Amino acid sequence: MEGPLPTESRIWPRRYEEVYERSMRDPEGFWAEQAKRLDWFKTWDRVLEWDPPYARWFVGGRINASHNALDRHVATWRKNKAAIIWEGEPGDEKVITYYRLYREVNRFASVLKDLGVRKGDRVAIYLPMIPELPVAMLACARIGAVHTVVFSGFSSTALADRINDSRAKVLVTADGGYRRGKVVPLKRIADEAVDRAPSIETVVVVRRTGSEVSMQEGRDYWWHDLMEGARDYVEPEPVESTHPLFILYTSGTTGKPKGIVHGTGGYLVGVESTMRWVFDVRDEDIFWTAADVGWITGHSYIVYGPLVTGATTVMYEGAPDYPSPDRWWSIVERQGVTVLYTSPTAIRMFMRYGEEWPKRHDLSSLRLLGTVGEPINPEAWRWYYRVIGGERCPIVDTWWQTETGANMIAPCPGISLVPLKPGSATLPLPGVEADVVDEGGNPVPPGVRGYLVIKRPWPSMLLGVYRDPVRYREVYWSKFPGWYYTGDYAMRDEDGYFWLLGRADEVLKVSGHRIGTMELESALVSHEAVAEAAVVGKPHPVKGETPVAFVVLREGFSPGPELRDSIREFIRGEISPLYVPSEVHFVQRLPKTRSGKIMRRVLRAVVSGEEVGDLTTLEDEASVEEVKKAYEEFKALYEGGE
Ligand code: WT7
């Protein structure tokens, strides 16, 4: 290995333990202290109302996210500081100061108001990674509207489902976005979605690519036209601390994605605190979260976290390896990036391209690296540490979820850096009571796998699942009543460090993106040829895992490469290219229990080449042989292939 890892703290070594201990002894006092770092129009009456499974933080307090991200900085020297450094994929650049961002947000807030958007109304945002995306989010926040950002790689069906669930009345989109030098026709996709989403009254279209789009009279308006008549100032709405700031959809174990609802005060306290503790944010930082704003990582650490702390945030529109595999390293060098936060998948991809690409650039501006989204394998960790961080930068491996809103288990160099261990997210952040327990809720001994739970509420905890209280209760609070169930396996070591061991439920992490196997299965069975489907994850060297589908065909359809392609295309169109199954296997029947449940465990074992294990509950043994045979045939055909 490359010598000792950075372990010295900036302050003093026992500081983390002291802060953590204090947070456990007096959580409300501790969180109230953090909350004071934000601007409140009215201070809260009570720090926490905990009526399990609902937590209300800073009750009685009034606050506005856009005010905290903009107005309070514009009143200081930060007025002329770069808020956003943006790079488009084709190479265009924009540096937007806090003052400019403030103006744009105010103006778009007035546009939304004039379109009839009121406090509590939902606005769907389907934009590429362009500055109008954070502008639209902050404009919603300014007037108390609830944004729901839909990742621009999602298909029209996925977009329509999210609009319909949230009943958004305005959709903000663009004529297109750039991806690998091509234009993604976002407006066309949005039009298909809006055809099936009757709640949408108005579509606002940003001109990004200049491509031809159709505009529907009375429904569709150009962003720049509306902005022409906009007002320069809109009073920020002082919303209740518990007022929803956004809904973000994420996959779970059913066929339908869940709308995770985040509040305002608690959420902002979570992202503000972690910006300080985990990223040790400083005014001179050029902070780059290389993720998409369409995911929680982007919400919390491209938009709200950096802006609320007055940092400079970098936004890059396009593919990481376009036009060449050193695109990111060129951005780090040219923009002087100091903090880089990304996913293990991206790191593994760059590892494959080889060291020569980062070596072409001066990366000495970097001082801290971060990862998120899936467990990082020690090999990738070491490469990141050595090649990107020059053996100089600590790596913060941050465990958290869409639901948690902010980092939960991670090193905190902003307090004091504990010794790092490649592959471990280290210890829970202050205020976070995490544990690893067995089926009966008993803490497991070191080295034993169990379920990761959080034993008390934290400020950036989800408010609920949009319009689905039953699901909220069942998914997160029924397995261990009173504790938040994460859906993850974990293990602690002798030092108490947490090692995350992947999902314990039927959820895959494909390139760090979450997708429920049921969601893919219900899409698959809506293909005309598919009668039944089962999806499992297969380990993949770069993506972590990929979906593999087993399908039973309807009468009259016969297996073959064309049908396989058509099924894969279908997922691309129904959900997203991200989740296209890497393999589709045709079988006569699926292995099921006597009660009819698909035994995914068996399929998982087959695709990862493991022992199938206990089959006593299996209904029909021949099904396993058949699955194995289909898989063997596939391997013989594609050996050395994907
Ligand atoms: C799931 C949440 C949180 C932003 C990105 C993903 C996995 C997340 C880590 C990590 C191991 C991790 C978990 C978690 N995960 N971070 N550092 N080490 N696993 O958000 O899509 O809501 O996914 O990602 O399985 O439950 P998400």
Side-chain angles (χ1 to χ4, degrees):
M1 238 198 79
E2 53 290 305
L5 300 172
T7 58
E8 336 88 277
S9 81
R10 284 206 304 133
I11 311 160
W12 75 85
R14 294 195 54 80
R15 189 78 197 282
Y16 161 78
E17 283 162 51
E18 278 161 23
V19 175
Y20 186 81
E21 200 268 324
R22 151 98 233 252
S23 76
M24 290 293 114
R25 200 173 57 233
D26 172 24
E28 295 189 17
F30 174 79
W31 284 119
E33 215 168 86
Q34 312 310 312
K36 285 184 191 140
R37 306 184 62 102
L38 297 171
D39 262 11
W40 295 81
F41 297 117
K42 179 186 171 289
T43 313
W44 51 91
D45 305 315
R46 279 172 311 284
V47 175
L48 170 64
E49 272 178 16
W50 177 219
D51 179 12
Y54 292 98
R56 290 157 51 83
W57 285 90
F58 311 109
V59 183
R62 293 202 170 247
I63 190 166
N64 183 282
S66 150
H67 168 88
N68 273 280
L70 302 168
D71 306 40
R72 69 166 179 158
H73 303 312
V74 165
T76 71
W77 66 271
R78 290 199 186 94
K79 181 174 181 179
N80 303 319
K81 177 178 175 173
I84 299 178
I85 296 179
W86 174 81
E87 262 196 56
E89 195 188 71
D92 40 347
E93 284 183 46
K94 274 185 196 163
V95 177
I96 303 164
T97 63
Y98 271 93
Y99 185 64
R100 283 298 301 267
L101 186 62
Y102 164 84
R103 267 181 68 84
E104 295 297 302
V105 168
N106 270 282
R107 293 174 66 84
F108 196 62
S110 89
V111 167
L112 290 175
K113 278 201 146 174
D114 292 348
L115 291 173
V117 178
R118 300 282 169 260
K119 182 181 173 190
D121 287 347
R122 275 79 57 216
V123 173
I125 305 177
Y126 183 63
L127 284 175
M129 284 278 287
I130 55 177
E132 287 81 354
L133 173 49
V135 169
M137 292 163 76
L138 291 164
C140 289
R142 195 163 188 89
I143 63 173
V146 180
H147 58 71
T148 180
V149 177
V150 180
F151 170 58
S152 63
F154 274 125
S155 70
S156 62
T157 312
L159 174 59
D161 289 349
R162 286 157 178 77
I163 296 172
N164 286 330
D165 190 77
S166 65
R167 301 179 188 161
K169 65 186 213 192
V170 171
L171 171 65
V172 184
T173 187
D175 56 355
Y178 292 102
R179 195 73 190 175
R180 276 178 216 290
K182 293 203 188 73
V183 170
V184 183
L186 294 177
K187 175 63 164 68
R188 207 184 68 209
I189 302 170
D191 283 341
E192 285 169 23
V194 173
D195 281 346
R196 279 175 289 152
S199 62
I200 295 293
E201 294 164 8
T202 309
V203 180
V204 181
V205 187
V206 177
R207 182 174 283 156
R208 166 64 184 131
T209 59
S211 32
E212 192 83 36
V213 294
S214 75
M215 298 288 279
Q216 186 178 308
E217 182 79 38
R219 185 195 74 182
D220 301 353
Y221 300 90
W222 287 105
W223 171 290
H224 55 264
D225 287 341
L226 295 173
M227 287 291 258
E228 224 163 81
R231 294 181 298 285
D232 290 338
Y233 182 73
V234 170
E235 190 92 36
E237 180 80 30
V239 300
E240 306 75 36
S241 172
T242 52
H243 182 70
L245 177 61
F246 62 84
I247 304 171
L248 186 58
Y249 286 84
T250 187
S251 286
T253 50
T254 73
K256 201 172 145 284
K258 328 174 250 205
I260 303 302
V261 186
H262 277 288
T264 306
Y267 172 78
L268 293 181
V269 170
V271 296
E272 197 277 342
S273 306
T274 50
M275 283 297 292
R276 282 183 285 119
W277 300 337
V278 178
F279 298 105
D280 191 13
V281 65
R282 302 163 192 193
D283 253 317
E284 58 276 27
D285 271 332
I286 310 281
F287 191 92
W288 185 17
T289 295
D292 197 287
V293 170
W295 312 112
I296 191 70
T297 310
H299 279 59
S300 299
Y301 298 105
I302 298 176
V303 182
Y304 288 108
L307 297 178
V308 162
T309 50
T312 297
T313 186
V314 177
M315 243 180 117
Y316 167 57
E317 177 186 33
D321 51 356
Y322 185 86
S324 52
D326 62 344
R327 180 63 187 263
W328 275 23
W329 318 124
S330 142
I331 295 175
V332 169
E333 179 173 34
R334 281 180 296 104
Q335 309 294 2
V337 172
T338 57
V339 179
L340 175 64
Y341 186 31
T342 188
S343 66
T345 290
I347 297 160
R348 290 191 295 259
M349 184 192 78
F350 289 122
M351 266 174 92
R352 289 224 155 173
Y353 279 125
E355 290 182 28
E356 62 269 27
W357 297 99
K359 289 261 152 73
R360 289 184 191 181
H361 298 275
D362 176 3
L363 306 181
S364 61
S365 58
L366 289 169
R367 66 164 181 86
L368 183 70
L369 303 174
T371 72
V372 60
E374 48 180 320
I376 183 164
N377 45 313
E379 195 197 353
W381 195 103
R382 292 206 171 85
W383 189 88
Y384 195 32
Y385 181 71
R386 180 174 59 82
V387 180
I388 305 306
E391 298 184 8
R392 193 183 61 246
C393 311
I395 297 179
V396 289
D397 175 349
T398 63
W399 178 88
W400 58 299
Q401 308 178 302
T402 304
E403 292 86 342
T404 70
N407 299 162
M408 298 289 279
I409 304 178
C412 35
I415 299 174
S416 66
L417 189 58
V418 296
L420 302 175
K421 300 186 191 187
S424 167
T426 72
L427 298 162
L429 293 177
V432 175
E433 193 188 352
D435 204 352
V436 182
V437 300
D438 64 18
E439 210 56 64
N442 311 299
V444 297
V448 175
R449 187 178 87 165
Y451 301 104
L452 178 65
V453 294
I454 314 293
K455 292 183 161 175
R456 61 174 88 190
W458 63 99
S460 61
M461 184 174 110
L462 72 165
L463 293 185
V465 174
Y466 194 61
R467 293 199 299 129
D468 202 344
V470 173
R471 196 164 174 195
Y472 172 65
R473 217 174 260 277
E474 272 172 9
V475 173
Y476 305 107
W477 303 96
S478 66
K479 193 170 171 75
F480 302 106
W483 298 342
Y484 173 83
Y485 173 55
T486 62
D488 275 8
Y489 283 129
M491 183 179 88
R492 301 188 75 173
D493 65 16
E494 295 290 346
D495 298 323
Y497 278 43
F498 285 73
W499 297 77
L500 281 306
L501 302 173
R503 298 289 307 189
D505 53 8
E506 296 296 341
V507 170
L508 308 184
K509 285 257 110 180
V510 182
S511 301
H513 302 305
R514 199 157 141 181
I515 184 77
T517 52
M518 281 277 281
E519 203 175 323
L520 285 172
E521 288 161 6
S522 61
L524 285 166
V525 296
S526 64
H527 184 286
E528 53 165 9
V530 178
E532 274 189 282
V535 172
V536 293
K538 177 180 174 169
H540 185 278
V542 174
K543 297 180 175 182
E545 56 186 342
T546 57
V548 170
F550 289 85
V551 299
V552 178
L553 294 180
R554 280 180 197 286
E555 204 80 44
F557 290 92
S558 40
E562 268 154 44
L563 189 50
R564 178 173 288 135
D565 290 346
S566 135
I567 289 172
R568 297 180 76 221
E569 268 317 298
F570 187 73
I571 294 296
R572 186 183 298 273
E574 284 292 295
I575 303 181
S576 164
L578 289 178
Y579 306 118
V580 172
S582 55
E583 300 169 14
V584 177
H585 303 293
F586 301 105
V587 292
Q588 301 289 329
R589 68 210 126 167
L590 294 166
K592 287 185 188 162
T593 61
R594 277 178 210 104
S595 58
K597 263 188 79 181
I598 298 171
M599 292 179 74
R600 290 199 188 77
R601 172 173 66 80
V602 171
L603 299 174
R604 249 191 318 265
V606 171
V607 301
S608 37
E610 285 159 13
E611 282 302 309
V612 169
D614 178 34
L615 289 178
T616 47
T617 56
L618 190 72
E619 183 200 43
D620 176 0
E621 290 225 14
S623 61
V624 175
E625 289 316 309
E626 207 205 323
V627 164
K628 281 190 181 160
K629 198 166 141 257
Y631 196 70
E632 288 309 318
E633 282 171 11
F634 167 86
K635 277 217 314 214
L637 263 171
Y638 293 90
E639 204 74 291
E642 293 189 64

